[in-house]
């Protein structure tokens, strides 16, 4: 199998359902940003060798990002979206529980935080900022499932708490 198809050489690509859209489409911006986020999560996972449970949780997040991306890649074709897997009903709640667990051990903050401290914490902040951009791009794309948007919104909060908890280890 060859990786290239030449179908996108004209500046268009085909989304789920066969619709050809411009490569500068808001839908592709959103899907591309989710892909970028997943890639950086992979980098972050590579720095968390002493935190296997967190690495597993991040892998689950990457799987959920594929689900969200598949919904976006349908564009406005709601019939196809209906046939795709959905986020499990508890994924956003799991993120909230993870945030609450981390917040119990964090010092209170009264100022903005400058990202840094160590490599893992810095990567978590990069994930947070890419996640926020993904959220903006998903809204700009206009065709999304509300559960997907809520999940992405909560996910950026998780990365903020993760970055802080790594810094305070």
């Amino acid at each position: 199998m060859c990786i290239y198809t030449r179908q996108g050489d004209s500046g268009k690509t085909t989304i789920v359902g066969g619709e050809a859209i411009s490569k500068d489409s808001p839908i592709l911006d959103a899907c591309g940003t989710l892909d970028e986020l997943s890639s950086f999560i992979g980098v972050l996972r590579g720095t968390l060798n002493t935190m296997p449970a967190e690495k597993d949780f991040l892998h689950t997040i990457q799987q959920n990002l594929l689900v969200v991306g598949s919904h976006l890649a349908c564009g406005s074709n709601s019939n196809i979206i209906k046939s795709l897997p959905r986020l499990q009903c508890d994924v956003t709640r799991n993120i909230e529980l993870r945030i609450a667990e981390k917040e119990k051990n964090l010092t209170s903050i009264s100022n903005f935080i400058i990202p840094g401290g160590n490599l893992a914490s810095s990567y978590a902040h990069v994930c947070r900022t890419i996640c926020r951009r993904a959220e903006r791009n998903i809204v700009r794309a206009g065709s999304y499932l509300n559960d997907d948007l809520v999940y992405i919104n909560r996910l950026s909060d998780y990365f903020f708490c993760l970055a802080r908890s790594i810094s305070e280890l």
Side-chain angles (χ1 to χ4, degrees), residues 57 61 89-104 147 149-159 161:
F57 191 69
I61 289 170
C89 61
D90 60 348
V91 295
T92 300
R93 183 70 184 135
N94 287 343
I95 293 281
E96 292 170 346
L97 292 171
R98 202 76 169 213
I99 290 169
E101 180 183 307
K102 291 189 180 318
E103 284 183 325
K104 282 191 272 185
D147 290 347
L149 188 63
V150 171
Y151 178 74
I152 296 298
N153 184 28
R154 208 68 78 249
L155 191 57
S156 60
D157 297 329
Y158 161 75
F159 284 119
C161 287

Side-chain angles (χ1 to χ4, degrees), residues 2-112:
C2 187
I3 187 68
Y4 59 87
T5 63
R6 293 190 174 101
Q7 292 180 355
D9 293 351
S10 65
K12 290 189 179 265
T13 194
T14 304
I15 59 174
V16 177
E19 180 186 354
I21 62 172
S22 175
K23 288 190 175 188
D24 69 352
S25 162
I27 291 170
L28 292 184
D29 269 348
C31 289
T33 307
L34 290 175
D35 186 31
E36 182 183 353
L37 175 57
S38 183
S39 296
F40 265 98
I41 292 171
V43 172
L44 173 60
R45 284 178 57 216
T47 65
L48 299 178
N49 293 327
T50 61
M51 302 173 76
E54 207 67 52
K55 285 176 78 163
D56 290 344
F57 191 69
L58 290 168
H59 185 260
T60 300
I61 289 170
Q62 288 175 297
Q63 293 171 322
N64 290 334
L65 292 176
L66 289 173
V67 171
V68 174
S70 70
H71 299 160
L72 290 168
C74 291
S76 59
N77 193 330
S78 61
N79 289 329
I80 294 175
I81 292 173
K82 289 177 188 173
S83 69
L84 293 175
R86 303 284 293 256
L87 288 175
Q88 298 296 315
C89 61
D90 60 348
V91 295
T92 300
R93 183 70 184 135
N94 287 343
I95 293 281
E96 292 170 346
L97 292 171
R98 202 76 169 213
I99 290 169
E101 180 183 307
K102 291 189 180 318
E103 284 183 325
K104 282 191 272 185
N105 300 316
L106 294 173
T107 59
S108 62
I109 56 173
S110 58
N111 298 316
F112 286 107

Side-chain angles (χ1 to χ4, degrees), residues 126-161:
V126 171
C127 289
R128 172 185 57 81
T129 60
I130 294 171
C131 192
R132 286 288 186 208
R133 180 164 29 98
E135 183 182 14
R136 293 188 302 272
N137 287 344
I138 289 168
V139 170
R140 194 172 297 118
S143 56
Y144 55 84
L145 299 175
N146 191 58
D147 290 347
D148 292 350
L149 188 63
V150 171
Y151 178 74
I152 296 298
N153 184 28
R154 208 68 78 249
L155 191 57
S156 60
D157 297 329
Y158 161 75
F159 284 119
F160 179 73
C161 287

